[in-house]
Amino acid sequence: MSGGLLVAGTTSDAGKSVVTAGICRWLVRQGVRVAPFKGQNMSLNSFVTREGAEIGRAQAMQAQAARVEPSALMNPVLLKPGSDRSSQVVLMGKPVGELSARGYHGGRQQALLGTVVECLEELRATHDAVICEGAGSPAEINLRRNDIVNMGIARAASFPVLVVGDIDRGGVFAQFFGTTALLSPEDQALVAGYLVNKFRGDVTLLEPGLDMLYDLTGRRTFGVLPYAHGLGIDEEDGLRVSLRGAVRESVVAPPVGEDVLRVAVCAVPLMSNFTDVDALAAEPGVVVRFVDRPEELADADLAVVPGTRGTVRALQWLRERGLADALVRRAAEGRPVLGVCGGFQALGEHIEDDVESRAGSVEALGLLPVRVRFAPDKTLARPVGEALGERVEGYEIHHGVAEVLGGEPFLDGCRVGAVWGTHWHGSLESDGFRRAFLREVAAAAGRRFVPAPDTSFGVLREEQLDRLGDLIEEHADTDALWKLIESGPPGGLPFVAPGAP
Protein backbone atom coordinates (compact mmCIF):
# COMPACT_ATOMS: atom_id res chain seq x y z
CA MET A 1 0.00 0.00 0.00
CA SER A 2 1.26 3.47 -0.88
CA GLY A 3 -1.05 6.43 -0.92
CA GLY A 4 -2.68 9.20 0.98
CA LEU A 5 -5.69 11.38 1.68
CA LEU A 6 -6.43 15.03 2.41
CA VAL A 7 -8.95 15.66 5.19
CA ALA A 8 -10.52 19.06 4.46
CA GLY A 9 -13.31 20.82 6.31
CA THR A 10 -16.28 22.99 5.49
CA THR A 11 -15.16 25.41 8.23
CA SER A 12 -12.50 25.89 10.85
CA ASP A 13 -13.04 23.57 13.82
CA ALA A 14 -15.15 21.16 11.76
CA GLY A 15 -13.14 18.28 13.18
CA LYS A 16 -10.28 17.90 10.71
CA SER A 17 -7.63 17.42 13.39
CA VAL A 18 -9.46 14.69 15.28
CA VAL A 19 -10.61 12.92 12.09
CA THR A 20 -7.03 12.93 10.80
CA ALA A 21 -5.85 11.50 14.13
CA GLY A 22 -8.62 8.92 14.11
CA ILE A 23 -7.73 7.73 10.61
CA CYS A 24 -4.06 7.54 11.61
CA ARG A 25 -4.88 5.43 14.68
CA TRP A 26 -7.22 3.16 12.67
CA LEU A 27 -4.57 2.61 9.99
CA VAL A 28 -1.70 1.91 12.39
CA ARG A 29 -3.88 -0.69 14.11
CA GLN A 30 -4.14 -2.38 10.70
CA GLY A 31 -0.36 -2.57 10.49
CA VAL A 32 -0.03 0.39 8.11
CA ARG A 33 2.99 2.68 8.48
CA VAL A 34 1.21 6.04 8.46
CA ALA A 35 2.27 9.64 9.06
CA PRO A 36 0.23 12.83 9.53
CA PHE A 37 0.93 15.99 7.55
CA LYS A 38 -0.24 19.60 7.49
CA GLY A 39 1.55 21.82 5.01
CA GLN A 40 0.67 25.07 6.77
CA ASN A 41 -0.79 25.50 10.22
CA MET A 42 -1.91 28.65 12.03
CA SER A 43 -1.76 28.03 15.75
CA LEU A 44 -0.40 29.28 19.05
CA ASN A 45 -0.57 25.76 20.41
CA SER A 46 2.77 24.27 19.42
CA PHE A 47 5.23 21.55 20.39
CA VAL A 48 8.98 20.95 20.20
CA THR A 49 10.23 17.78 18.51
CA ARG A 50 13.26 15.85 19.74
CA GLU A 51 15.42 17.53 17.10
CA GLY A 52 14.39 20.94 18.45
CA ALA A 53 11.85 21.90 15.78
CA GLU A 54 8.61 23.75 16.56
CA ILE A 55 5.45 22.31 14.98
CA GLY A 56 1.72 22.52 15.62
CA ARG A 57 0.70 20.55 18.68
CA ALA A 58 -2.17 18.99 16.70
CA GLN A 59 0.39 17.38 14.38
CA ALA A 60 2.35 16.09 17.39
CA MET A 61 -0.89 14.55 18.69
CA GLN A 62 -1.58 13.01 15.27
CA ALA A 63 1.95 11.58 15.22
CA GLN A 64 1.22 9.95 18.56
CA ALA A 65 -1.98 8.57 17.05
CA ALA A 66 0.13 7.12 14.22
CA ARG A 67 2.71 5.85 16.76
CA VAL A 68 5.56 7.70 15.08
CA GLU A 69 7.95 10.36 16.36
CA PRO A 70 6.82 13.95 15.57
CA SER A 71 8.96 15.67 12.95
CA ALA A 72 9.21 19.07 11.26
CA LEU A 73 8.36 17.25 8.02
CA MET A 74 4.81 16.84 9.34
CA ASN A 75 4.22 20.60 9.61
CA PRO A 76 6.78 22.51 7.52
CA VAL A 77 5.04 25.90 7.85
CA LEU A 78 3.65 27.15 11.16
CA LEU A 79 2.13 30.62 11.52
CA LYS A 80 1.98 32.02 15.07
CA PRO A 81 -0.30 35.08 15.22
CA GLY A 82 1.07 38.11 17.03
CA SER A 83 -1.92 40.30 16.18
CA ASP A 84 -4.97 40.27 13.93
CA ARG A 85 -2.77 41.21 10.98
CA SER A 86 0.64 39.61 11.44
CA SER A 87 2.21 36.28 12.34
CA GLN A 88 5.60 34.82 13.05
CA VAL A 89 6.51 32.40 10.26
CA VAL A 90 8.12 29.18 11.46
CA LEU A 91 9.70 27.23 8.59
CA MET A 92 10.90 23.67 9.14
CA GLY A 93 10.66 24.21 12.86
CA LYS A 94 12.60 27.50 13.08
CA PRO A 95 11.31 31.11 13.07
CA VAL A 96 12.27 33.00 9.91
CA GLY A 97 10.52 36.34 10.46
CA GLU A 98 7.31 38.23 11.06
CA LEU A 99 4.96 38.89 8.14
CA SER A 100 1.69 40.70 7.66
CA ALA A 101 -1.22 38.68 6.29
CA ARG A 102 -1.00 40.66 3.05
CA GLY A 103 2.73 40.05 2.75
CA TYR A 104 2.37 36.32 3.38
CA HIS A 105 -0.58 35.67 1.08
CA GLY A 106 0.75 38.15 -1.45
CA GLY A 107 3.62 35.93 -2.52
CA ARG A 108 5.58 34.39 0.33
CA GLN A 109 3.10 31.56 0.73
CA GLN A 110 3.34 30.36 -2.87
CA ALA A 111 7.13 30.44 -2.67
CA LEU A 112 6.91 27.84 0.12
CA LEU A 113 4.95 25.33 -1.98
CA GLY A 114 8.15 23.59 -3.12
CA THR A 115 9.28 23.04 0.47
CA VAL A 116 5.86 21.77 1.49
CA VAL A 117 5.70 19.29 -1.41
CA GLU A 118 9.26 18.08 -0.72
CA CYS A 119 8.35 17.34 2.90
CA LEU A 120 5.24 15.46 1.84
CA GLU A 121 7.20 13.41 -0.69
CA GLU A 122 9.82 12.55 1.93
CA LEU A 123 7.10 11.24 4.23
CA ARG A 124 5.53 9.28 1.39
CA ALA A 125 8.90 7.65 0.65
CA THR A 126 9.18 6.31 4.21
CA HIS A 127 5.55 5.46 5.01
CA ASP A 128 2.77 3.39 3.47
CA ALA A 129 0.29 6.26 3.75
CA VAL A 130 0.22 9.96 4.61
CA ILE A 131 -2.97 11.51 5.98
CA CYS A 132 -2.97 15.26 5.35
CA GLU A 133 -5.02 17.80 7.25
CA GLY A 134 -6.30 20.88 5.49
CA ALA A 135 -6.84 24.31 7.04
CA GLY A 136 -10.07 26.27 7.32
CA SER A 137 -12.06 25.53 4.17
CA PRO A 138 -10.79 24.55 0.71
CA ALA A 139 -13.38 26.93 -0.76
CA GLU A 140 -11.69 30.15 0.40
CA ILE A 141 -11.78 31.46 -3.16
CA ASN A 142 -9.84 34.63 -2.28
CA LEU A 143 -6.87 32.51 -1.16
CA ARG A 144 -6.95 29.62 -3.64
CA ARG A 145 -4.31 30.99 -6.03
CA ASN A 146 -1.52 30.69 -3.45
CA ASP A 147 -2.91 27.76 -1.44
CA ILE A 148 -0.36 25.27 -0.08
CA VAL A 149 -2.48 23.42 2.49
CA ASN A 150 -5.84 22.50 0.92
CA MET A 151 -6.49 21.91 -2.77
CA GLY A 152 -3.03 23.17 -3.66
CA ILE A 153 -1.39 20.24 -1.87
CA ALA A 154 -4.10 17.80 -3.02
CA ARG A 155 -3.41 18.80 -6.63
CA ALA A 156 0.35 18.56 -6.17
CA ALA A 157 0.07 15.03 -4.71
CA SER A 158 -3.01 13.86 -6.66
CA PHE A 159 -4.62 12.99 -3.33
CA PRO A 160 -8.35 12.37 -2.90
CA VAL A 161 -10.12 14.82 -0.61
CA LEU A 162 -12.55 13.93 2.17
CA VAL A 163 -14.59 16.96 3.32
CA VAL A 164 -15.61 16.97 7.01
CA GLY A 165 -18.62 18.95 8.22
CA ASP A 166 -19.77 19.67 11.78
CA ILE A 167 -23.49 18.91 11.80
CA ASP A 168 -23.80 20.11 15.41
CA ARG A 169 -23.48 23.68 14.10
CA GLY A 170 -26.30 23.21 11.60
CA GLY A 171 -26.34 23.77 7.84
CA VAL A 172 -24.03 20.87 7.02
CA PHE A 173 -25.73 19.96 3.71
CA ALA A 174 -25.41 23.52 2.44
CA GLN A 175 -21.78 23.51 3.57
CA PHE A 176 -20.97 20.30 1.71
CA PHE A 177 -22.71 21.44 -1.46
CA GLY A 178 -21.37 24.99 -1.35
CA THR A 179 -17.81 23.88 -0.65
CA THR A 180 -17.87 21.60 -3.69
CA ALA A 181 -19.65 24.07 -5.97
CA LEU A 182 -17.09 26.83 -5.29
CA LEU A 183 -14.16 24.74 -6.51
CA SER A 184 -12.74 24.66 -10.02
CA PRO A 185 -13.43 21.57 -12.17
CA GLU A 186 -9.84 20.42 -11.59
CA ASP A 187 -10.22 20.72 -7.81
CA GLN A 188 -13.69 19.16 -7.80
CA ALA A 189 -12.26 16.09 -9.53
CA LEU A 190 -10.32 15.34 -6.32
CA VAL A 191 -13.24 15.76 -3.90
CA ALA A 192 -14.24 12.15 -3.29
CA GLY A 193 -16.99 12.76 -0.76
CA TYR A 194 -18.01 13.79 2.72
CA LEU A 195 -17.83 12.82 6.39
CA VAL A 196 -20.44 14.05 8.86
CA ASN A 197 -19.03 14.88 12.31
CA LYS A 198 -20.69 15.35 15.73
CA PHE A 199 -24.09 13.84 14.90
CA ARG A 200 -26.62 13.40 17.72
CA GLY A 201 -29.67 11.20 17.35
CA ASP A 202 -31.02 8.54 15.00
CA VAL A 203 -28.84 8.31 11.89
CA THR A 204 -31.73 6.93 9.83
CA LEU A 205 -33.31 10.39 10.01
CA LEU A 206 -30.22 11.77 8.28
CA GLU A 207 -30.06 9.25 5.48
CA PRO A 208 -32.63 10.90 3.13
CA GLY A 209 -30.52 14.06 3.20
CA LEU A 210 -27.35 12.09 2.42
CA ASP A 211 -29.14 10.47 -0.54
CA MET A 212 -30.21 13.90 -1.82
CA LEU A 213 -26.67 15.20 -1.37
CA TYR A 214 -25.42 12.32 -3.52
CA ASP A 215 -28.00 13.15 -6.20
CA LEU A 216 -26.92 16.79 -6.17
CA THR A 217 -23.15 16.26 -6.19
CA GLY A 218 -22.51 12.69 -7.35
CA ARG A 219 -20.44 12.17 -4.21
CA ARG A 220 -21.09 9.76 -1.38
CA THR A 221 -20.83 10.22 2.36
CA PHE A 222 -18.14 8.02 3.88
CA GLY A 223 -19.53 8.00 7.39
CA VAL A 224 -21.48 9.74 10.15
CA LEU A 225 -19.47 10.14 13.34
CA PRO A 226 -21.46 10.55 16.57
CA TYR A 227 -20.88 13.39 18.99
CA ALA A 228 -18.19 12.19 21.42
CA HIS A 229 -17.93 13.79 24.86
CA GLY A 230 -14.74 14.27 26.84
CA LEU A 231 -12.15 13.62 24.16
CA GLY A 232 -9.89 16.40 25.46
CA ILE A 233 -7.65 16.14 22.39
CA ASP A 234 -5.19 18.95 21.65
CA GLU A 235 -6.74 21.88 19.85
CA GLU A 236 -4.94 24.17 17.48
CA ASP A 237 -7.10 27.27 17.07
CA GLY A 238 -5.03 30.13 18.48
CA LEU A 239 -7.48 32.80 17.28
CA ARG A 240 -10.44 31.88 19.44
CA VAL A 241 -12.33 35.02 20.42
CA SER A 242 -12.81 34.08 24.06
CA LEU A 243 -12.30 31.10 26.32
CA ARG A 244 -14.15 32.65 29.25
CA GLY A 245 -16.27 30.08 31.00
CA ALA A 246 -14.87 27.15 29.03
CA VAL A 247 -14.15 24.17 31.23
CA ARG A 248 -11.55 21.58 30.30
CA GLU A 249 -13.34 18.24 30.30
CA SER A 250 -11.95 15.78 32.80
CA VAL A 251 -12.41 12.14 33.67
CA VAL A 252 -15.70 11.40 35.40
CA ALA A 253 -14.40 10.22 38.76
CA PRO A 254 -14.97 11.45 42.29
CA PRO A 255 -12.13 13.08 44.21
CA VAL A 256 -9.98 10.80 46.34
CA GLY A 257 -9.92 13.28 49.21
CA GLU A 258 -12.73 15.22 50.84
CA ASP A 259 -12.37 18.35 48.68
CA VAL A 260 -12.18 19.22 45.02
CA LEU A 261 -9.47 21.58 43.79
CA ARG A 262 -10.53 24.55 41.65
CA VAL A 263 -8.11 25.89 39.02
CA ALA A 264 -8.71 29.24 37.29
CA VAL A 265 -6.70 29.95 34.14
CA CYS A 266 -6.43 33.60 33.12
CA ALA A 267 -7.56 33.73 29.47
CA VAL A 268 -4.84 36.18 28.39
CA PRO A 269 -4.69 37.49 24.81
CA LEU A 270 -2.74 35.36 22.31
CA MET A 271 -2.80 32.48 24.79
CA SER A 272 -0.42 29.72 23.77
CA ASN A 273 -0.24 26.08 24.79
CA PHE A 274 -3.32 26.24 26.97
CA THR A 275 -3.25 22.43 26.80
CA ASP A 276 -0.70 22.66 29.65
CA VAL A 277 -3.67 22.51 32.03
CA ASP A 278 -5.18 19.39 30.43
CA ALA A 279 -3.07 17.22 32.73
CA LEU A 280 -4.64 19.01 35.72
CA ALA A 281 -8.13 18.42 34.34
CA ALA A 282 -7.28 14.72 33.99
CA GLU A 283 -7.00 14.43 37.78
CA PRO A 284 -10.17 13.25 39.58
CA GLY A 285 -11.49 16.11 41.67
CA VAL A 286 -9.68 18.91 39.80
CA VAL A 287 -11.96 21.43 38.06
CA VAL A 288 -10.33 23.69 35.45
CA ARG A 289 -11.95 26.77 33.96
CA PHE A 290 -10.80 29.83 31.98
CA VAL A 291 -11.57 33.25 33.46
CA ASP A 292 -11.27 36.93 32.59
CA ARG A 293 -12.64 38.65 35.73
CA PRO A 294 -10.97 39.17 39.10
CA GLU A 295 -13.99 37.91 41.05
CA GLU A 296 -13.63 34.56 39.25
CA LEU A 297 -10.29 34.10 41.01
CA ALA A 298 -11.90 34.48 44.44
CA ASP A 299 -12.85 30.82 44.92
CA ALA A 300 -9.92 29.38 42.94
CA ASP A 301 -7.43 27.24 44.82
CA LEU A 302 -4.85 27.74 42.07
CA ALA A 303 -4.59 30.64 39.61
CA VAL A 304 -2.65 29.94 36.42
CA VAL A 305 -1.18 32.59 34.12
CA PRO A 306 -0.51 30.58 30.95
CA GLY A 307 1.81 31.05 28.02
CA THR A 308 1.19 33.83 25.52
CA ARG A 309 2.63 35.09 22.26
CA GLY A 310 2.40 38.62 23.70
CA THR A 311 3.72 38.88 27.25
CA VAL A 312 3.59 42.69 27.41
CA ARG A 313 0.11 42.74 25.89
CA ALA A 314 -1.00 40.09 28.42
CA LEU A 315 0.36 42.23 31.26
CA GLN A 316 -1.62 45.21 30.04
CA TRP A 317 -4.75 43.04 29.76
CA LEU A 318 -4.30 41.66 33.29
CA ARG A 319 -4.04 45.21 34.63
CA GLU A 320 -6.99 46.51 32.63
CA ARG A 321 -9.20 43.66 33.84
CA GLY A 322 -8.20 43.97 37.48
CA LEU A 323 -6.70 40.49 37.39
CA ALA A 324 -3.20 41.82 38.10
CA ASP A 325 -4.32 43.27 41.42
CA ALA A 326 -6.14 40.04 42.23
CA LEU A 327 -2.99 38.01 41.54
CA VAL A 328 -0.91 40.33 43.74
CA ARG A 329 -3.44 39.96 46.56
CA ARG A 330 -3.36 36.18 46.19
CA ALA A 331 0.42 36.13 46.48
CA ALA A 332 0.32 38.36 49.58
CA GLU A 333 -2.22 36.02 51.19
CA GLY A 334 -0.12 32.91 50.40
CA ARG A 335 -2.67 31.59 47.91
CA PRO A 336 -1.22 29.54 45.00
CA VAL A 337 -0.30 31.10 41.64
CA LEU A 338 1.49 29.35 38.75
CA GLY A 339 3.01 31.16 35.77
CA VAL A 340 4.05 29.20 32.67
CA CYS A 341 6.33 30.66 29.97
CA GLY A 342 4.85 34.09 29.15
CA GLY A 343 2.87 33.86 32.39
CA PHE A 344 6.11 33.21 34.27
CA GLN A 345 7.63 36.31 32.65
CA ALA A 346 4.59 38.39 33.64
CA LEU A 347 5.02 37.35 37.29
CA GLY A 348 8.59 38.67 37.36
CA GLU A 349 9.90 42.12 38.23
CA HIS A 350 10.98 43.65 34.95
CA ILE A 351 10.88 42.98 31.18
CA GLU A 352 13.09 44.39 28.43
CA ASP A 353 11.33 43.71 25.15
CA ASP A 354 12.70 45.07 21.87
CA VAL A 355 11.72 41.90 20.01
CA GLU A 356 8.15 40.70 20.58
CA SER A 357 6.21 43.89 21.44
CA ARG A 358 9.09 46.35 20.98
CA ALA A 359 7.76 48.09 24.09
CA GLY A 360 11.21 48.44 25.62
CA SER A 361 11.33 48.61 29.41
CA VAL A 362 8.18 47.31 31.14
CA GLU A 363 7.48 46.69 34.82
CA ALA A 364 5.96 43.26 35.50
CA LEU A 365 3.86 42.13 38.49
CA GLY A 366 6.78 41.74 40.88
CA LEU A 367 5.70 38.44 42.38
CA LEU A 368 8.92 36.60 41.53
CA PRO A 369 12.57 37.86 41.62
CA VAL A 370 13.06 37.49 37.88
CA ARG A 371 14.17 39.89 35.16
CA VAL A 372 13.43 39.02 31.52
CA ARG A 373 15.17 40.18 28.36
CA PHE A 374 13.71 39.25 24.99
CA ALA A 375 16.28 37.84 22.57
CA PRO A 376 15.98 37.68 18.75
CA ASP A 377 16.70 33.93 18.80
CA LYS A 378 13.97 31.66 20.06
CA THR A 379 14.71 29.02 22.69
CA LEU A 380 13.40 25.63 21.50
CA ALA A 381 14.28 22.77 23.83
CA ARG A 382 13.12 19.51 25.42
CA PRO A 383 14.50 19.76 28.98
CA VAL A 384 14.48 17.03 31.59
CA GLY A 385 14.98 17.75 35.28
CA GLU A 386 13.74 17.25 38.81
CA ALA A 387 11.42 19.24 41.06
CA LEU A 388 9.58 18.47 44.30
CA GLY A 389 11.55 15.24 44.41
CA GLU A 390 10.16 13.98 41.10
CA ARG A 391 11.49 13.61 37.55
CA VAL A 392 10.02 16.14 35.12
CA GLU A 393 10.02 16.43 31.32
CA GLY A 394 8.89 19.50 29.40
CA TYR A 395 9.48 21.65 26.36
CA GLU A 396 10.46 25.30 25.92
CA ILE A 397 9.28 27.80 23.27
CA HIS A 398 10.20 31.40 24.11
CA HIS A 399 12.19 34.50 23.14
CA GLY A 400 12.37 35.76 26.72
CA VAL A 401 15.57 35.00 28.63
CA ALA A 402 14.98 34.92 32.40
CA GLU A 403 17.54 35.97 34.98
CA VAL A 404 16.45 34.41 38.28
CA LEU A 405 17.68 36.57 41.17
CA GLY A 406 16.32 34.66 44.16
CA GLY A 407 13.63 32.39 45.55
CA GLU A 408 13.73 28.62 45.67
CA PRO A 409 14.71 26.81 42.44
CA PHE A 410 11.72 25.45 40.50
CA LEU A 411 12.57 23.76 37.19
CA ASP A 412 14.26 26.59 35.21
CA GLY A 413 12.43 29.26 37.22
CA CYS A 414 11.76 29.80 40.89
CA ARG A 415 9.27 29.72 43.72
CA VAL A 416 8.48 32.35 46.37
CA GLY A 417 5.94 31.20 48.92
CA ALA A 418 2.94 29.88 47.00
CA VAL A 419 3.96 31.50 43.69
CA TRP A 420 5.70 29.29 41.14
CA GLY A 421 7.09 30.19 37.71
CA THR A 422 8.72 28.22 34.88
CA HIS A 423 9.25 28.37 31.12
CA TRP A 424 8.58 24.63 30.84
CA HIS A 425 5.43 23.68 28.97
CA GLY A 426 4.09 20.17 29.49
CA SER A 427 5.70 19.65 32.89
CA LEU A 428 2.38 18.72 34.49
CA GLU A 429 2.13 15.71 32.18
CA SER A 430 4.82 14.08 34.36
CA ASP A 431 2.59 12.13 36.73
CA GLY A 432 4.71 12.07 39.89
CA PHE A 433 5.56 15.76 39.63
CA ARG A 434 1.93 16.72 38.98
CA ARG A 435 0.78 14.85 42.09
CA ALA A 436 3.51 16.43 44.21
CA PHE A 437 2.63 19.88 42.89
CA LEU A 438 -1.09 19.40 43.58
CA ARG A 439 -0.30 18.30 47.13
CA GLU A 440 1.63 21.57 47.61
CA VAL A 441 -1.26 23.57 46.14
CA ALA A 442 -3.84 21.81 48.32
CA ALA A 443 -1.77 22.44 51.45
CA ALA A 444 -1.33 26.14 50.64
CA ALA A 445 -5.01 26.49 49.74
CA GLY A 446 -6.16 24.69 52.89
CA ARG A 447 -8.02 22.04 50.90
CA ARG A 448 -8.37 18.40 51.91
CA PHE A 449 -7.68 17.35 48.36
CA VAL A 450 -5.68 14.20 47.66
CA PRO A 451 -4.34 13.42 44.16
CA ALA A 452 -5.33 10.01 42.82
CA PRO A 453 -2.36 7.67 43.20
CA ASP A 454 -2.71 6.00 39.80
CA THR A 455 -3.70 8.66 37.25
CA SER A 456 -1.47 8.34 34.19
CA PHE A 457 -1.80 11.18 31.71
CA GLY A 458 0.00 9.13 29.04
CA VAL A 459 -2.41 6.23 29.44
CA LEU A 460 -5.42 8.57 29.32
CA ARG A 461 -4.09 10.17 26.13
CA GLU A 462 -3.65 6.74 24.52
CA GLU A 463 -7.20 5.84 25.51
CA GLN A 464 -8.47 9.06 23.88
CA LEU A 465 -6.57 8.32 20.67
CA ASP A 466 -7.99 4.79 20.65
CA ARG A 467 -11.47 6.28 20.99
CA LEU A 468 -10.79 8.33 17.86
CA GLY A 469 -9.67 5.20 16.03
CA ASP A 470 -12.82 3.44 17.23
CA LEU A 471 -15.01 6.26 15.88
CA ILE A 472 -13.53 5.78 12.42
CA GLU A 473 -13.62 1.98 12.57
CA GLU A 474 -17.20 1.80 13.84
CA HIS A 475 -18.89 4.69 12.05
CA ALA A 476 -17.03 5.23 8.76
CA ASP A 477 -16.96 3.01 5.68
CA THR A 478 -13.39 1.85 6.24
CA ASP A 479 -13.35 -0.37 3.14
CA ALA A 480 -14.18 2.67 1.01
CA LEU A 481 -11.66 4.83 2.90
CA TRP A 482 -8.98 2.20 2.38
CA LYS A 483 -9.69 2.16 -1.36
CA LEU A 484 -9.49 5.97 -1.48
CA ILE A 485 -6.14 6.04 0.30
CA GLU A 486 -4.73 3.24 -1.82
CA SER A 487 -6.17 4.07 -5.26
CA GLY A 488 -6.73 7.83 -5.27
CA PRO A 489 -9.73 9.91 -6.36
CA PRO A 490 -12.61 8.02 -7.99
CA GLY A 491 -12.96 8.59 -11.71
CA GLY A 492 -15.92 10.25 -13.38
CA LEU A 493 -16.94 12.57 -10.52
CA PRO A 494 -19.42 15.10 -11.92
CA PHE A 495 -18.88 18.86 -11.99
CA VAL A 496 -21.09 20.86 -9.61
CA ALA A 497 -21.96 24.30 -10.96
CA PRO A 498 -21.01 27.10 -10.83
CA GLY A 499 -17.42 26.25 -9.91
CA ALA A 500 -14.72 28.74 -8.96
CA PRO A 501 -15.32 32.28 -10.27
Side-chain angles (χ1 to χ4, degrees):
M1 178 180 182
S2 178
L5 176 73
L6 175 72
V7 179
T10 58
T11 62
S12 294
D13 203 31
K16 298 182 293 293
S17 295
V18 295
V19 168
T20 299
I23 293 174
C24 285
R25 178 50 60 102
W26 161 63
L27 284 172
V28 78
R29 294 196 302 208
Q30 312 307 309
V32 177
R33 293 178 304 163
V34 58
F37 179 79
K38 186 163 186 171
Q40 172 197 294
N41 196 348
M42 177 174 279
S43 179
L44 289 172
N45 206 18
S46 58
F47 182 77
V48 179
T49 67
R50 295 206 180 277
E51 67 266 28
E54 185 180 8
I55 66 173
R57 189 163 170 108
Q59 279 60 66
M61 175 269 293
Q62 291 160 357
Q64 186 177 351
R67 296 181 179 143
V68 295
E69 189 67 31
S71 161
L73 294 172
M74 298 171 184
N75 180 206
V77 181
L78 173 64
L79 306 178
K80 302 195 72 175
S83 71
D84 292 340
R85 297 192 176 188
S86 68
S87 294
Q88 183 181 66
V89 180
V90 179
L91 178 63
M92 294 304 295
K94 305 296 181 184
V96 294
E98 196 93 9
L99 278 179
S100 67
R102 180 179 293 276
Y104 182 70
H105 291 289
R108 175 65 168 164
Q109 183 183 35
Q110 184 64 25
L112 296 173
L113 179 61
T115 299
V116 170
V117 172
E118 287 172 8
C119 290
L120 176 57
E121 290 306 311
E122 190 169 339
L123 288 174
R124 295 183 72 180
T126 53
H127 295 80
D128 300 323
V130 179
I131 308 302
C132 305
E133 180 189 344
S137 162
E140 307 290 357
I141 55 179
N142 56 315
L143 303 177
R144 173 62 185 93
R145 183 168 61 90
N146 294 319
D147 171 53
I148 63 172
V149 64
N150 288 308
M151 301 312 299
I153 198 68
R155 287 269 288 274
S158 298
F159 274 1
V161 178
L162 181 69
V163 181
V164 178
D166 179 358
I167 197 170
D168 198 51
R169 295 180 173 189
V172 76
F173 293 116
Q175 293 169 20
F176 284 144
F177 181 87
T179 296
T180 308
L182 278 177
L183 301 179
S184 69
E186 295 81 7
D187 285 350
Q188 285 194 25
L190 300 177
V191 176
Y194 314 110
L195 186 74
V196 177
N197 191 29
K198 298 184 183 178
F199 180 72
R200 308 172 193 249
D202 185 350
V203 74
T204 61
L205 298 176
L206 192 65
E207 288 170 354
L210 302 179
D211 293 339
M212 287 185 275
L213 183 66
Y214 178 81
D215 293 339
L216 287 165
T217 67
R219 289 159 174 84
R220 56 164 300 176
T221 298
F222 284 79
V224 177
L225 306 185
Y227 194 103
H229 293 275
L231 285 175
I233 292 296
D234 295 349
E235 300 161 274
E236 70 172 26
D237 187 1
L239 295 178
R240 184 172 301 193
V241 175
S242 173
L243 282 166
R244 195 183 82 77
V247 178
R248 304 302 282 174
E249 294 188 76
S250 57
V251 292
V252 182
V256 175
E258 297 180 44
D259 288 343
V260 298
L261 208 62
R262 295 173 177 83
V263 179
V265 185
C266 298
V268 297
L270 299 173
M271 189 182 342
S272 61
N273 291 74
F274 52 82
T275 47
D276 282 337
V277 299
D278 283 355
L280 295 179
E283 285 285 348
V286 176
V287 179
V288 179
R289 69 182 187 274
F290 293 89
V291 305
D292 64 359
R293 297 172 182 168
E295 56 267 30
E296 293 174 307
L297 291 183
D299 68 342
D301 302 305
L302 171 66
V304 178
V305 186
T308 171
R309 172 84 162 85
T311 301
V312 171
R313 180 175 169 185
L315 263 172
Q316 180 182 2
W317 181 88
L318 289 168
R319 286 174 169 136
E320 289 172 348
R321 295 278 178 144
L323 286 160
D325 289 340
L327 290 168
V328 171
R329 285 195 300 272
R330 287 185 67 90
E333 295 165 359
R335 302 177 65 202
V337 178
L338 171 66
V340 180
C341 200
F344 165 44
Q345 296 165 7
L347 297 183
E349 296 174 349
H350 187 80
I351 294 172
E352 286 291 335
D353 182 11
D354 295 317
V355 175
E356 188 177 77
S357 68
R358 297 180 174 84
S361 182
V362 177
E363 293 304 308
L365 298 184
L367 303 186
L368 291 173
V370 175
R371 299 177 73 85
V372 176
R373 176 184 54 82
F374 276 72
D377 294 333
K378 181 184 283 189
T379 297
L380 297 169
R382 289 278 293 269
V384 177
E386 184 176 302
L388 305 180
E390 300 286 346
R391 186 177 185 274
V392 190
E393 296 183 23
Y395 57 99
E396 294 183 64
I397 307 169
H398 54 92
H399 283 279
V401 178
E403 180 185 5
V404 179
L405 302 173
E408 300 175 42
F410 179 71
L411 301 176
D412 69 318
C414 64
R415 170 188 182 177
V416 174
V419 180
W420 296 265
T422 176
H423 275 127
W424 290 21
H425 294 289
S427 63
L428 294 167
E429 295 178 17
S430 298
D431 297 327
F433 167 71
R434 181 180 65 255
R435 287 192 278 268
F437 176 72
L438 289 176
R439 283 192 290 269
E440 294 264 349
V441 168
R447 293 288 185 187
R448 290 172 294 182
F449 169 85
V450 178
D454 55 355
T455 301
S456 169
F457 185 76
V459 169
L460 290 172
R461 174 51 53 90
E462 277 296 305
E463 290 174 353
Q464 291 167 332
L465 294 172
D466 275 332
R467 287 180 63 195
L468 292 181
D470 293 343
L471 285 173
I472 297 298
E473 193 164 341
E474 296 169 10
H475 299 282
D477 187 338
T478 52
D479 289 340
L481 278 179
W482 188 285
K483 185 177 180 181
L484 265 189
I485 294 166
E486 191 173 32
S487 305
L493 292 169
F495 173 70
V496 181

